[in-house]
Amino acid sequence: MLKVKKINVGYGDLQVLWETSFTVKRGEIFALVGSNGAGKTTTLKTISGLLKPFSGLIKFLDKNIHGLHPYKIVEEGIIHVPEGRRLFPGMTVLENLELGAYTKKARVKRRDSLENVFNLFPILRERKNQLAGTLSGGEQQMLAIARGLMGAPRILMMDEPSLGLAPKIVLKIFDAIKEINENGVTILLVEQNVYHALKIAERAAVLESGRVVLEGRGEELLGDEHVKKSYLGR
Amino acid sequence: MLWESLLSSIVYGILVGGVYALISMGLALIWGVMDVINLSHGELVLLGGYVAYWLFVLEDLNPLLSLPLAALVVGSIGLIMEKFFVSKIKEAPALNTFLLTYGIGIFIANAILQIWTADYRRVNVSFFLETVSLGPIRVSRGDVLTFSLSFGLIMFTHIILTKTYLGKAIRALTEDRIAAQLMGINDKQVDIIAFVMGSMLAGAAGSLFVSLYYVYPALGGWITAKAFIIVVLSGVGSMSGTILGGVMLGVAESIATTLISASYRELIGFVIFIITLLIKPSGLLGRSSH
Amino acid sequence: MGIFKGKISSFELKTFILVVALAYMLPFMVGFSAYILHVLNLALIISVLSLSWSILVSCGQISFGHAAFFGSGAYVSALLAIDYGVPPPVSILISGVFGALMGAGIGGLCFRLGKLTGPYFALSMLAFAEICRIIVINLGPLTRGPLGIYDIPPFLPVFKFWGLTLDLYRDKVPNYYLLLAVLLFTFLVVRKVRNSRIGFAFKCISQDEDAAETVGVDTFRYKLIAITVSGLFAAVSGAFYAHYTHYMEPSHAYSVSWTLLPVVSSLFGGINLLSGPIFGCLIIWCTDEFLFTELLTRGHELLLGALLVIIVIYMPDGFMIKVKELLTSISKGGKAEAVTENVLPRGEEELC
């Protein structure tokens, strides 16, 4: 469904990704794991159009999307839930969700989507008229994911959804991710929390210093010696 | 006697403050969305004023009726400014756009000088000059009318910003440009719209301004300074703050003028400007601007 | 003299000598035309103003109100000379001190009390210039109010002996050399400052003030130095202007031109180059005088504004960078190094 092929990306003179390739299949949860600074966020930024690759190509449903403006990519149904959530803190929860459904396609389905995310995260319904900036960390992450869902995604890319959250809430978030996937949304998950990510992912890739060093089924990778040693501390 | 004149100067200050608030709203809109402090904002206001003046002299059109036309003319100037100049240097450091709009301001001021000369111009409508009594105070109809219109326009803009998708996109860009792009907002397009909206507000404010005050080409910097100080007082993008800031500035000026001396009127404006900056560089009333 | 110490590469020295020699020859080249020399003299005076503006920019601060220093310098010197009989050379020096104090005062207010940066500082300078103008207009008994001051004495004396009059003032040539010397002196001082540790601190502040602060640069102190030196030379420039044109009135003294010209000139010449503001100013002033004022009798600033827009969009580095690159490529290999000595690192921060 989403094919990333030999992309080279960087900021100015500093190259971050080197010939990175992987493929996300329709309906699966694909995890991109690796340590800090490996280039995971850069990969997502490149797919969503915030960064332009020096070379290489990105295909979504047989359409080349690399180099397109971010809003065009959102219109294709590729939704990026960014690292650090990046909500609109001075706007209400409801307004944040409405902005999630900004594109024409998403706007049509607005009511259904809203019902949908409120069922997924009931707490947001209670908080809907509160300013986003006043929510707790876990609620903010839920709102960020919900805002992404409002965009009627065909593929939802999530960057570190567990970052800075209490263990109990992390589990809740991962449950929600599974549920979203079961409802038919393909998911590209970027995580530092390698164990949890590999646990729910059908397939995964390990990124090290901007290169994909391993790719395979989630369970396989969990059993891999290198992964165990480097990321799971066993 | 003193109390009465103080009271009437407060009322006058409030009425003038409404126009001030309208002027500053356009500046705040562009500042918030694009992080561009448009130093030619005062000149855009002037331009709106001169358009209204011209329509009044040539076509005998009431300045309140020429308001939409002034907004349209200045809005198109804004469109040209953003499309051909400001958007060209978006990536450059913020001070570059600052210098750029300073240059554009000088250009417009002198273009006004070419077209309308340096004479003081004002729209004198006899209907406006008649006074009405508000209890012990007498105010001119023009002041009341321009205040109400300013207030109406501010409310109208506020509704656009809070109720429409476009308005929400504008606010989203103000809060977080990257996140806004990830929502599927075409930021470049919204930039243009915001710039044109800000310019139209300036033009509309100008047509109201010219029926209150005399205008002349060098007045632009003075207007920009006022608008700037109101935004600093109220924070970027806070509507109630903008109105309150405008009224505060209007009242402070008006009282100081009554108490001190009319010949220092302009001086008082600038002293208030400096003092405000020195004491509180951001967001006295609303959220902080940066 | 200490001023002449410091690294001078042979390429730089050669260029310097060449330019000074050219400047020395200029009156001969224009056939001693009084009109041309008059315009050139004014250009030299305004070049001092541009240099003073660029000092502040080298420290990362943009001022939209250098007219405050220029006009006040003009008024202080003129009033001292007329009302108190102070000889012009002395009154010009005093006006320089006044400008420095004013700079320090404004700097203290803006940088310490208000902690103003970027646009906030730039606009408060604009307000200071306006405040000065209004005060001068309203202090009639002291400043002669809006009508201005006439018959400001020239800074070059008139000798009378044996019934002959040697009027050094009327003759534009002595003025030219004197003003050239003043400009040269200013340039050398500015060069000294910018190549010193102070200049290095300026550079740090202009690139990232917060970072400079964290590595222990006392940013307030250096910004204060910058605005004090800047105020000094701007006031001196105003004083020379007043004595040279011997007429001054408030709206001329505090005209927006004295802010606009240094801005346009410095950007045109290139603010990363020490000599940029001078060459920029000479070209801009002469173009303005010979061309723009011919094209538009009133409001010739329109073209200056347009020029500023063009410069900011199309050549934010200034044209002198191009000239220097050209000169370097003509001269031989090892000299390329010498050029970069004076050029601040290029990059995003350049215009800050």
Side-chain angles (χ1 to χ4, degrees):
Chain A
M1 186 183 204
L2 177 73
K3 191 173 202 159
V4 176
K5 204 168 173 188
K6 292 195 171 174
I7 51 167
N8 288 295
V9 193
Y11 306 85
D13 291 336
L14 183 75
Q15 186 162 351
V16 179
L17 295 182
W18 304 80
E19 306 275 311
T20 306
S21 306
F22 59 88
T23 309
V24 181
K25 291 181 183 152
R26 190 189 296 267
E28 71 177 353
I29 298 182
F30 185 90
L32 193 60
V33 296
S35 58
N36 226 341
K40 296 170 303 197
T41 299
T42 306
T43 310
L44 292 198
K45 279 186 177 170
T46 311
I47 297 171
S48 62
L50 292 174
L51 288 173
K52 310 256 174 284
F54 303 149
S55 65
L57 48 105
I58 302 172
K59 264 188 168 174
F60 183 66
L61 301 171
D62 294 322
K63 188 177 172 191
N64 282 331
I65 57 159
H66 52 270
L68 287 183
H69 195 274
Y71 80 90
K72 290 271 183 203
I73 290 172
V74 174
E75 279 170 7
E76 290 293 324
I78 302 176
I79 309 285
H80 180 177
V81 180
E83 187 181 9
R85 309 184 261 274
R86 301 197 87 137
L87 301 170
F88 303 110
M91 300 170 85
T92 64
V93 168
L94 195 61
E95 281 177 321
N96 269 276
L97 292 173
E98 280 173 346
L99 278 165
Y102 186 80
T103 58
K104 287 215 170 60
K105 273 184 215 159
R107 229 179 276 190
V108 183
K109 301 185 201 159
R110 213 181 88 208
R111 279 178 199 289
D112 293 341
S113 312
L114 202 60
E115 201 51 41
N116 214 355
V117 299
F118 280 157
N119 288 337
L120 189 64
F121 300 117
I123 187 82
L124 294 181
R125 194 195 298 270
E126 288 167 36
R127 302 254 190 268
K128 71 178 178 191
N129 291 320
Q130 214 167 304
L131 290 185
T134 63
L135 299 180
S136 72
E139 288 164 357
Q140 288 197 8
Q141 186 58 57
M142 290 175 202
L143 177 55
I145 295 173
R147 189 179 63 174
L149 283 175
M150 291 296 291
R154 292 203 265 192
I155 180 166
L156 190 65
M157 307 195 294
M158 280 184 269
D159 196 348
E160 306 276 11
S162 73
L163 197 72
L165 299 181
K168 217 172 124 187
I169 302 185
V170 171
L171 290 179
K172 232 174 157 176
I173 297 283
F174 276 102
D175 282 343
I177 294 174
K178 258 191 261 175
E179 197 179 329
I180 294 166
N181 179 245
E182 276 155 20
N183 290 340
V185 180
T186 309
I187 286 176
L188 170 53
L189 177 67
V190 154
E191 261 300 336
Q192 261 189 82
N193 193 332
V194 175
Y195 177 75
H196 274 119
L198 293 182
K199 208 101 204 249
I200 65 165
E202 263 119 56
R203 293 185 323 113
V206 180
L207 205 58
E208 275 176 17
S209 317
R211 293 177 172 84
V212 174
V213 292
L214 275 173
E215 199 179 344
R217 297 180 52 77
E219 300 150 26
E220 269 170 39
L221 289 185
L222 264 179
D224 184 272
E225 281 307 313
H226 177 70
V227 172
K228 271 189 187 167
K229 233 163 112 185
S230 313
Y231 299 101
L232 303 173
R234 307 175 192 162
Chain B
M1 207 43 213
L2 176 70
W3 286 114
E4 225 160 79
S5 67
L6 258 185
L7 193 64
S8 70
S9 70
I10 288 174
V11 172
Y12 177 73
I14 292 173
L15 295 178
V16 171
V19 183
Y20 285 180
L22 183 63
I23 292 173
S24 77
M25 194 152 198
L27 184 77
L29 189 68
I30 296 169
W31 189 348
V33 172
M34 303 171 67
D35 207 14
V36 168
I37 302 175
N38 182 9
L39 281 184
S40 60
H41 193 74
E43 277 77 16
L44 291 180
V45 173
L46 274 189
L47 206 57
Y50 276 98
V51 169
Y53 168 79
W54 225 0
L55 287 170
F56 176 71
V57 174
L58 298 180
E59 303 290 333
D60 205 17
L61 199 62
N62 186 308
L64 302 184
L65 296 176
S66 54
L67 183 142
L69 272 168
L72 224 58
V73 170
V74 179
S76 350
I77 303 277
L79 180 68
I80 295 169
M81 255 177 86
E82 144 70 33
K83 267 210 113 121
F84 296 103
F85 302 108
V86 178
S87 64
K88 294 264 188 273
I89 58 166
K90 281 257 186 62
E91 313 294 321
L95 280 175
N96 284 29
T97 51
F98 202 55
L99 288 167
L100 177 78
T101 55
Y102 178 71
I104 293 176
I106 300 271
F107 182 88
I108 297 177
N110 285 285
I112 289 174
L113 181 68
Q114 302 296 324
I115 303 171
W116 288 288
T117 75
D119 292 350
Y120 283 46
R121 311 280 187 184
R122 184 177 175 177
V123 173
N124 283 311
V125 189
S126 53
F127 172 78
F128 280 10
L129 297 175
E130 282 170 33
T131 55
V132 284
S133 299
L134 284 174
I137 318 150
R138 300 185 69 79
V139 291
S140 77
R141 276 182 187 161
D143 291 345
V144 177
L145 216 58
T146 48
F147 175 80
S148 333
L149 266 170
S150 303
F151 194 78
L153 277 171
I154 290 171
M155 287 313 286
F156 178 66
T157 315
H158 181 66
I159 289 170
I160 291 179
L161 286 180
T162 49
K163 299 286 179 236
T164 67
Y165 254 101
L166 173 69
K168 282 172 191 163
I170 288 176
R171 283 162 62 216
L173 271 177
T174 306
E175 297 217 349
D176 189 332
R177 179 164 286 260
I178 301 276
Q181 288 180 349
L182 293 180
M183 298 300 105
I185 294 168
N186 183 350
D187 59 323
K188 288 190 179 125
Q189 195 185 6
V190 177
D191 276 352
I192 295 176
I193 294 171
F195 205 98
V196 171
M197 260 176 82
S199 307
M200 287 179 79
L201 284 171
S207 73
L208 297 175
F209 194 84
V210 76
S211 52
L212 288 181
Y213 290 113
Y214 282 97
V215 294
Y216 49 95
L219 194 62
W222 187 76
I223 297 175
T224 306
K226 274 195 204 313
F228 181 80
I229 208 65
I230 293 167
V231 181
V232 168
L233 272 170
S234 56
V236 172
S238 142
M239 205 242 355
S240 50
T242 304
I243 294 181
L244 204 54
V247 167
M248 266 173 63
L249 185 65
V251 171
E253 269 184 15
S254 163
I255 288 180
T257 312
T258 314
L259 292 182
I260 305 170
S261 146
S263 67
Y264 281 99
R265 193 192 148 76
E266 260 191 280
L267 181 69
I268 290 160
F270 283 109
V271 170
I272 291 175
F273 179 89
I274 295 274
I275 291 174
T276 317
L277 275 185
L278 291 182
I279 295 172
K280 188 78 191 177
S282 60
L284 253 191
L285 306 172
R287 292 195 310 275
S288 89
S289 56
H290 274 283
Chain C
M1 248 169 92
I3 285 167
F4 296 100
K5 279 192 217 146
K7 295 167 282 176
I8 301 179
S9 68
S10 70
F11 173 70
E12 207 186 353
L13 193 65
K14 272 186 215 156
T15 319
F16 182 74
I17 291 172
L18 188 74
V19 169
V20 173
L22 261 175
Y24 174 77
M25 306 267 288
L26 205 56
F28 302 91
M29 281 150 55
V30 299
F32 299 103
S33 151
Y35 171 57
I36 295 179
L37 279 175
H38 177 69
V39 172
L40 280 177
N41 286 346
L42 290 173
L44 292 174
I45 295 174
I46 304 309
S47 294
V48 174
L49 180 66
S50 291
L51 264 179
S52 81
W53 188 82
S54 73
I55 297 173
L56 208 46
V57 173
S58 77
C59 189
Q61 312 300 316
I62 286 190
S63 151
F64 281 148
H66 250 50
F69 301 125
F70 184 89
S72 304
Y75 259 92
V76 166
S77 188
L79 290 173
L80 281 176
I82 291 186
D83 289 349
Y84 302 94
V86 180
V90 179
S91 70
I92 290 173
L93 283 179
I94 296 176
S95 81
V97 174
F98 183 84
L101 289 177
M102 204 172 144
I106 291 178
L109 278 179
C110 290
F111 298 139
R112 178 65 93 197
L113 183 66
K115 301 207 180 340
L116 302 182
T117 53
Y120 298 94
F121 170 72
L123 282 176
S124 61
M125 282 303 298
L126 187 142
F128 277 119
E130 283 299 304
I131 288 173
C132 287
R133 183 177 64 84
I134 299 165
I135 289 177
V136 168
I137 288 177
N138 284 291
L139 283 184
L142 184 67
T143 62
R144 301 174 196 191
L147 292 177
I149 316 171
Y150 297 85
D151 296 326
I152 302 171
F155 45 78
L156 282 174
V158 180
F159 295 111
K160 283 192 178 141
F161 43 99
W162 301 302
L164 282 169
T165 313
L166 177 59
D167 188 343
L168 287 176
Y169 170 69
R170 291 274 163 230
D171 190 353
K172 299 293 174 192
V173 180
N175 280 295
Y176 176 81
Y177 287 117
L178 178 74
L179 291 169
L180 186 65
V182 170
L183 177 61
L184 219 56
F185 174 76
T186 313
F187 172 73
L188 290 173
V189 172
V190 172
R191 180 179 178 280
K192 179 82 185 157
V193 171
R194 281 182 65 172
N195 283 345
S196 70
R197 276 194 54 208
I198 299 176
F200 184 69
F202 286 0
K203 210 190 315 187
C204 294
I205 295 172
S206 78
Q207 294 190 351
D208 189 336
E209 194 170 333
D210 293 334
E213 187 90 48
T214 45
V215 297
V217 176
D218 184 352
T219 55
F220 168 66
R221 183 167 152 245
Y222 288 107
K223 286 195 284 184
L224 196 64
I225 293 175
I227 196 172
T228 306
V229 178
S230 186
L232 189 153
F233 284 113
V236 166
S237 155
F240 270 107
Y241 185 87
H243 289 284
Y244 183 73
T245 59
H246 50 196
Y247 167 66
M248 206 24 88
E249 48 114 1
S251 38
H252 188 56
Y254 297 99
S255 154
V256 71
S257 294
W258 311 130
T259 297
L260 183 61
L261 277 167
V263 176
V264 181
S265 312
S266 303
L267 287 179
F268 182 62
I271 49 171
N272 292 319
L273 231 49
L274 278 171
S275 53
I278 298 180
F279 289 108
C281 188
L282 294 178
I283 295 172
I284 296 285
W285 178 269
C286 292
T287 314
D288 188 39
E289 194 65 30
F290 294 128
L291 184 66
F292 291 177
T293 39
E294 295 298 318
L295 290 174
L296 294 174
T297 40
R298 60 160 192 252
H300 59 105
E301 282 96 349
L302 181 134
L303 295 167
L304 285 176
L307 199 58
L308 178 58
V309 170
I310 293 167
I311 293 169
V312 172
I313 294 181
Y314 295 106
M315 46 178 199
D317 292 342
F319 90 101
M320 279 294 290
I321 291 265
K322 303 267 185 311
V323 174
K324 258 208 145 155
E325 278 165 6
L326 195 73
L327 279 181
T328 324
S329 68
I330 292 169
S331 78
K332 276 163 255 160
K335 286 158 188 174
E337 205 185 344
V339 176
T340 48
E341 263 183 1
N342 277 346
V343 186
L344 296 180
R346 301 176 65 179
E348 267 215 325
E349 315 78 18
E350 259 167 5
L351 262 179
C352 294

